[in-house]
């Protein structure tokens, strides 16, 4: 894809605060019309990167391009990007309509033009009846939608969203996730979404950039990131997983045979850069493992159930492998009937689908 | 603040960074020109020679400080001994300001505490009630106090009609009247910082103390007071410092016997009997004392903040 | 509150309520007494002889009325000018201190702004007098105004800075993000949000200027009087009934102003 087609190109961007480096040489491209998420724990640099794109932080080194135009030296009011702030930052002294009209008016439209555009936007977020209210008279979810309408009203090329759902309660958050996704499809504007909530990122995004300690860890579709985590951080941060230390014994026909503590053996796909004899980590998702009272095949691992934890839709079973590590196995509650519950103390075998286990680089 | 940088970034907003110099320039000019430079001029004047009809002669002299600290006899030819007159006035000012501060604390602490433990809605009204008198002109408040305390004033009339006293109490022109006047002048300065500290205090600490068998007064002394100490110290400083240099209360309520620093200084600049270098020197000494107190206070506050962090 | 709950509440200390009420008595008794006696019909201040407005009439038409009217006018003009100028300077300074990033002279600037608060009033009075004397500036109304501007800056600054610190800078960032220039972000977003702080700052500066006796007394030119210096001069001859009427009027002005400021801060909805 030609570079001009990218909505945002970040090239070797570095951000330093005195001796502290918040962002270390990050490069990434965000495609036109994409729902792109920057995901990571607090302090990973995701908000810093977003604020650099918005123009609130200068770039210590490197460059940022917007549809091919270099923008890192432009002040925020000259960048065709708008932000939905974490705190919403709705102007408390202006009513909802004037909040939404603000950007359009500042861009040069007359007040009446700006207001009619604002009315359209309020219709889009279904808040037309609230245009005369002050922000303080709205609920959290309504404020959120006003912030969204305000940022979309000037028709930005890219919309930046800085953890906009973090202040909402769980139910509302789920509803807003879908609404945001639909809005992005309807408007066709590139969204860059910042969150620390991996579930939210997986639900909404076209692509996700996982960040940690100021560095890009992995970039890919939600599926790639969940199923093929590149390193220990990504595997651990996204979803729940069994992280096991293994030694690679043998590699044959693209298959790696790894040994766990206690002599258990596991088969998984070979990963470039990991050779025979290396001691590495291996990730195994709990829902891709199942237990049985008899060995299914030669590769089954023997162990004893230590605990069952009921978590609503699923049951989590903790299994201690004989002389080996502890395993977490998740069984959907609907499967329970057919397979039954193994009481603590019962001897079981742990089995896995082919390709479920994945070797990680550290 | 919108945290741009977790773990050590800029927490100071910088929207108007480019205009900073222009924003600050007016205040720098006015305060340098009308506050700092005048104090430096005053220091210079304290080392000049006095002009008899007020003002100075531009000739270096230590006479002002010499007059303050040393007695060289009527004609200035005797061997120097310590001059007690002015040190006594300073000492009296310290005593009066200190007593007024203690009086303010004794009444201000329970008041501040009581207000801070009211339901959130009515607190603002109590604070409002306490601060209204402060907004009334200080001169008028002091005159009102004098009117109330006069020998034939309303207070004596009430006390006599109640039969509590037979003849009027002489209150005006006593140390007590001055202390009461100072208390009256600066009480809100004692109440407000203590109120703020008590309002921030976590009362579950008191409950924990009570749960662990501490009596109410032990809880007050061992748990509450240490927690609100910075507020108490701030209140004491805010009452003590202006009391030390105050002029109206000692002048109107104290009379000649209860002379304080403020009157001593004022006298040097009024009429023809004045001695400007001496007045400047006395002001410098007062300023030095006040700045030392404030410095100690600032150090204590930073130490407390560090302990909290 | 029921007796039992009062006894169980660890916050309650017996006697504190009584001390608070005593405190309010001490604060209000002198003001109430003067207000009451200002309506006394007697020539003497010692005895109550019945209700009358004669001393209020005397304030506006009596032999001393011209002197006091001029003094009141001077006080008012000085306070308006000093409060306006110092509020404007303090607003700019607060923006420079709180919205312009970190810089090396920040601590020094903060110290300079609070200097008039740290220096005892009488010392400020002496220093200002000496300064005007040294540069050969003739004492008059102008010297009072200049001294008041400097003295009022920290009083105006405190509520303004407190308010600005409470306003998240994401509001201005949102304005910039929505294509406003810095100037527009300042005038259309920051200033309206600052309004309660600026009004409080102005009122505080106004009262402080109106209240000031000692600095004015030092820097005023011969024959120039403000209300406090005029009242002080009169009181030195003994408290007369017309002084009590003037005091009551001034007292009412203060109470009205502080009430306005109270409601301004109460109607503030941004938090």
């Amino acid at each position: 894809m030609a570079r001009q087609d990218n909505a945002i190109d970040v090239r070797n961007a570095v951000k330093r605060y005195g001796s502290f480096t918040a962002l270390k040489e990050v490069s990434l491209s965000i495609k036109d019309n994409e729902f792109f998420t920057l995901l990571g724990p607090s302090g990973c640099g995701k908000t810093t990167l977003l604020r650099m794109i918005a123009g609130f932080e200068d770039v210590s080194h490197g460059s940022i391009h917007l549809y091919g135009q270099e923008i890192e030296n432009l002040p925020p009011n000259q960048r065709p990007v708008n932000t939905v702030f974490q705190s919403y930052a709705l102007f408390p002294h202006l009513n909802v309509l004037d909040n939404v009209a603000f950007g359009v008016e500042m861009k040069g439209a007359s007040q009446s033009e700006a207001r009619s555009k604002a009315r359209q936007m309020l219709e889009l977020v279904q808040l037309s009846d609230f245009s005369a209210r002050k922000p303080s008279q709205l609920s959290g979810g309504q404020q959120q939608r006003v912030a969204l309408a305000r940022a979309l009203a000037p028709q930005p090329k890219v919309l930046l969203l800085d953890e906009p759902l973090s202040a909402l309660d769980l139910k509302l958050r789920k509803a807003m996730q879908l609404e945001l996704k639909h809005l992005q499809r309807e408007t066709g504007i590139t969204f860059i979404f910042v969150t620390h909530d991996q579930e939210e990122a997986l639900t909404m995004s076209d692509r996700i950039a996982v960040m940690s300690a100021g560095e890009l860890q992995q970039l890919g579709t939600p599926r790639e990131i969940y199923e093929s985590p590149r390193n220990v951080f990504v595997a651990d941060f996204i979803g729940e997983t069994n992280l096991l230390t293994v030694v690679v014994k043998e590699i044959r026909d693209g298959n790696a045979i790894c040994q766990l503590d206690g002599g258990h053996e596991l088969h998984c796909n070979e990963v470039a850069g990991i050779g025979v004899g290396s001691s590495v980590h291996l990730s195994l998702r709990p829902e891709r493992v199942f237990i049985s009272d008899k060995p299914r095949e030669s590769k089954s691992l023997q162990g004893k159930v230590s605990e069952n934890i009921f978590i609503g839709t699923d049951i989590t079973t903790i299994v201690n492998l004989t002389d080996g590590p502890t395993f977490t196995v998740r069984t959907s509650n609907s499967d329970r009937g057919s397979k039954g519950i193994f009481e603590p103390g019962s001897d079981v075998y742990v089995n896995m689908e082919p390709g479920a286990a994945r070797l990680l680089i550290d | 603040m919108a945290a741009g940088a977790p773990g050590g970034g800029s927490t100071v907003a910088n929207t108007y960074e480019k205009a900073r110099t222009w924003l600050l320039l007016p205040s720098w000019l006015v305060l340098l020109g009308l506050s700092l430079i005048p104090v430096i001029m005053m220091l210079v004047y304290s080392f000049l020679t006095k002009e008899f009809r007020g003002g100075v002669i531009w000739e270096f002299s230590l006479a002002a400080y010499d007059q303050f600290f040393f007695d060289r006899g009527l004609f200035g030819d005797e061997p120097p001994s310590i001059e007690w007159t002015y040190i006594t006035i300073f000492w009296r000012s310290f005593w009066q300001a200190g007593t007024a501060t203690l009086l303010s604390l004794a009444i201000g602490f329970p008041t501040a505490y009581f207000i801070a433990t009211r339901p959130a809605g009515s607190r603002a009204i109590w604070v409002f009630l306490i601060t209204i008198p402060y907004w009334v002109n200080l001169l008028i408040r002091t005159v009102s106090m004098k009117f109330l305390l006069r020998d034939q004033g309303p207070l004596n009339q009430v006390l006599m009609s109640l039969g509590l006293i037979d003849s009027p109490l002489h209150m005006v022109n006593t140390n007590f009247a001055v202390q009461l006047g100072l208390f009256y002048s600066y009480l809100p300065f004692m109440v407000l910082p203590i109120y703020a500290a008590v309002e921030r205090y976590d009362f579950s600490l008191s409950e924990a103390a009570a749960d662990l068998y501490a009596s109410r007064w032990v809880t007050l002394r061992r748990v509450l007071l240490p927690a609100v100490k910075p507020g108490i110290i701030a209140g004491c400083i805010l009452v003590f410092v202006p009391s030390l240099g105050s002029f109206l209360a000692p002048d109107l309520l104290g009379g000649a016997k209860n002379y304080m620093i403020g009157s001593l200084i004022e006298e040097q600049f009024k009429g023809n009997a004045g001695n400007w270098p001496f007045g400047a020197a006395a002001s410098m000494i007062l300023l030095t004392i006040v700045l030392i107190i404030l410095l100690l206070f600032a150090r204590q506050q930073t130490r407390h903040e560090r302990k909290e962090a | 509150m029921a007796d039992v709950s009062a006894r169980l509440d660890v916050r309650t200390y017996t006697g504190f309520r009584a001390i608070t009420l005593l405190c309010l008595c001490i604060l209000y008794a002198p003001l109430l007494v003067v207000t009451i006696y200002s309506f006394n019909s007697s020539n003497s201040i010692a005895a109550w002889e019945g209700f009358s407005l004669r001393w209020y009439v005397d304030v506006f038409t009596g032999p001393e009325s011209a002197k006091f009217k001029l003094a009141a006018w001077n006080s008012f003009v000085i306070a308006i000018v000093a409060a306006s100028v110092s509020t404007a300077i303090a607003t700019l300074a607060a923006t420079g201190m709180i919205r312009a990033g970190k810089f090396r002279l920040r601590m020094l600037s903060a110290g300079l702004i609070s200097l008039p608060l740290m220096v005892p009033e009488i010392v400020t009075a002496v220093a200002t007098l000496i300064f005007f004397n040294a540069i050969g500036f003739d004492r008059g109304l102008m010297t009072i105004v200049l001294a008041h501007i400097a003295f009022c800056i920290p009083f105006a600054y405190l509520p303004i800075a407190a308010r600005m610190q409470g306003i998240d800078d994401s509001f201005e960032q949102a304005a910039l993000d929505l294509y406003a220039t810095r100037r527009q972000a300042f005038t259309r977003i920051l200033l309206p949000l600052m309004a309660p702080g600026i009004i409080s700052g102005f009122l505080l500066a106004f009262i402080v200027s109106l209240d000031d006796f000692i600095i004015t007394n030092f820097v005023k030119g011969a024959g120039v009087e403000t209300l406090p210096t005029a009242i002080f001069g009169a009181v030195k001859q003994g408290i007369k009934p017309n002084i009590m009427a003037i005091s009551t009027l001034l007292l009412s002005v203060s109470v009205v102003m502080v009430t306005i400021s109270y409601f301004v801060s109460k109607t503030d909805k941004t938090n």
Side-chain angles (χ1 to χ4, degrees), chain B residues 94-121:
Chain B
F94 268 84
W95 170 255
Q96 296 285 65
T99 315
T101 306
L102 287 181
L103 186 65
S104 304
L105 181 62
I107 292 183
F109 179 81
T111 304
Y113 182 92
F114 180 77
I115 295 174
T117 52
R118 290 308 89 204

Side-chain angles (χ1 to χ4, degrees), chain C residues 116-165:
Chain C
L117 289 181
M118 295 192 287
V119 177
E121 224 181 320
I122 184 118
V123 177
T124 303
V126 168
T128 316
L129 168 66
I130 284 175
F131 175 72
F132 286 135
N133 178 271
I135 63 170
F137 202 108
D138 278 340
R139 281 182 266 162
L141 216 54
M142 197 57 202
T143 46
I144 306 178
V145 170
L146 286 174
H148 280 210
I149 288 172
F151 184 63
C152 288
I153 285 176
F155 291 96
Y157 181 82
L158 287 177
I160 293 174
R163 174 85 198 155
M164 199 175 280
Q165 245 144 8

Side-chain angles (χ1 to χ4, degrees), chain A residues 51 77 82-83 90-91 93, chain C residues 171 173 176-178 180 188:
Chain A
R51 291 170 60 82
N77 52 356
N82 290 137
T83 307
L90 297 176
F91 305 131
H93 60 299
Chain C
F171 293 123
Q173 290 189 346
L176 293 178
D177 187 59
L178 295 164
R188 305 222 6 193

Side-chain angles (χ1 to χ4, degrees), chain B residues 105 108-117 193-210 214-233 304 308, chain C residues 9-14 16:
Chain B
L105 181 62
F109 179 81
T111 304
Y113 182 92
F114 180 77
I115 295 174
T117 52
I194 298 179
Y195 163 77
V198 176
E199 204 188 23
R200 273 198 308 270
Y201 173 71
D202 177 5
F203 272 96
S204 63
L205 296 177
S206 286
E207 289 176 346
S215 74
R216 219 156 265 214
W217 292 102
V218 172
T219 306
L220 180 76
R221 216 174 58 237
R222 302 267 300 268
V223 181
L224 177 74
L225 281 184
V228 300
K229 200 169 104 192
I232 293 177
I233 294 176
H304 184 87
E308 300 257 290
Chain C
D9 187 356
V10 291
R11 298 163 188 233
T12 316
Y13 284 89
T14 18
F16 278 21

Side-chain angles (χ1 to χ4, degrees), chain B residues 1 19-20 26-27 39 44 114 143 167 175 186 210 237 241 294 301:
Chain B
M1 298 267 140
R20 183 198 296 141
S27 58
V39 170
V44 172
F114 180 77
V143 170
S167 56
N175 278 340
Y186 306 115
I237 298 273
V241 165
L294 291 178
Q301 293 292 76

Side-chain angles (χ1 to χ4, degrees), chain C residues 15-142:
Chain C
F16 278 21
R17 177 190 295 268
I19 294 174
T20 305
L21 295 177
L22 172 74
C23 181
L24 288 178
C25 279
I26 301 176
L27 289 179
Y28 284 92
L31 302 178
L32 275 177
V33 163
V34 164
T35 306
I36 292 168
Y37 274 76
S38 72
F39 295 105
N40 191 354
S41 61
S42 165
N43 273 328
S44 127
I45 57 164
W48 177 260
E49 282 180 11
F51 179 87
S52 147
L53 286 175
R54 64 177 281 212
W55 295 113
Y56 288 90
V57 175
D58 182 83
V59 166
F60 291 101
T61 59
E64 289 185 308
S65 64
K67 183 178 93 180
F68 281 116
K69 270 185 205 160
L70 181 61
W73 175 248
N74 284 343
S75 272
F76 180 75
V77 169
I78 291 165
I80 287 282
V81 174
S84 308
V85 176
S86 61
T87 304
I89 292 175
T91 306
L92 295 180
T95 314
M97 291 292 288
I98 297 164
R99 286 295 202 263
K102 290 180 188 164
F103 54 102
R104 247 184 309 140
L105 296 175
R106 198 157 181 267
M107 285 300 285
L108 207 68
S109 268
L112 197 58
I113 289 168
S114 52
L115 190 68
L117 289 181
M118 295 192 287
V119 177
E121 224 181 320
I122 184 118
V123 177
T124 303
V126 168
T128 316
L129 168 66
I130 284 175
F131 175 72
F132 286 135
N133 178 271
I135 63 170
F137 202 108
D138 278 340
R139 281 182 266 162
L141 216 54
M142 197 57 202

